[in-house]
Amino acid sequence: SKIISLPKEAVLDRQDRKIVFTHQDGKAKWNYVKIAHENSTHFAISSGLEEGDEVIIKGNFNLAHGKNIQVDND
C-alpha cells in the first residue's frame, strides 16, 4: 500500500481520531486516516485516503462532512 504524505495542518483530531477532509463534487468529505509516521511538518498517511483524492489543507478547521465548499486553488 502507498504512503501519502500530508502537511500536518491537513490532519485534524476529532473524537480522538485523525481525520482529513477531501473535496468531492463541491462538498467536503470526512475521511478517517491512520498515521504511519510523522516528522515536524508532515504526517505519513497509511490508510484512509486514495491516490488522487483532493485533500483540503487550508480552511479545514471548521468544516463538516457534506458542507458545500468553494475551491480556491491559490
Side-chain angles (χ1 to χ4, degrees), residues 2-3 5-6 8 22 28 30-31 35 39 43-44 49-50 54-55 58 60 65 67-68 73-74:
K2 291 196 174 190
I3 299 286
S5 177
L6 292 177
K8 284 195 164 177
T22 54
W30 158 307
N31 306 270
I35 307 298
N39 63 23
F43 284 118
L49 292 175
E50 298 292 325
E54 291 186 41
V55 173
K58 292 183 177 154
N60 58 353
H65 183 74
K67 184 173 183 176
N68 287 320
N73 289 321
D74 285 347

Side-chain angles (χ1 to χ4, degrees), residues 15-51:
Q15 300 155 359
D16 294 327
R17 294 178 72 182
K18 299 285 191 210
I19 68 151
V20 170
F21 280 104
T22 54
H23 170 249
Q24 198 168 52
D25 301 323
K27 296 189 184 303
K29 182 182 174 210
W30 158 307
N31 306 270
Y32 287 111
V33 295
K34 284 195 175 148
I35 307 298
H37 307 286
E38 66 179 284
N39 63 23
S40 61
T41 60
H42 284 72
F43 284 118
I45 308 296
S46 59
S47 69
L49 292 175
E50 298 292 325
E51 201 171 351

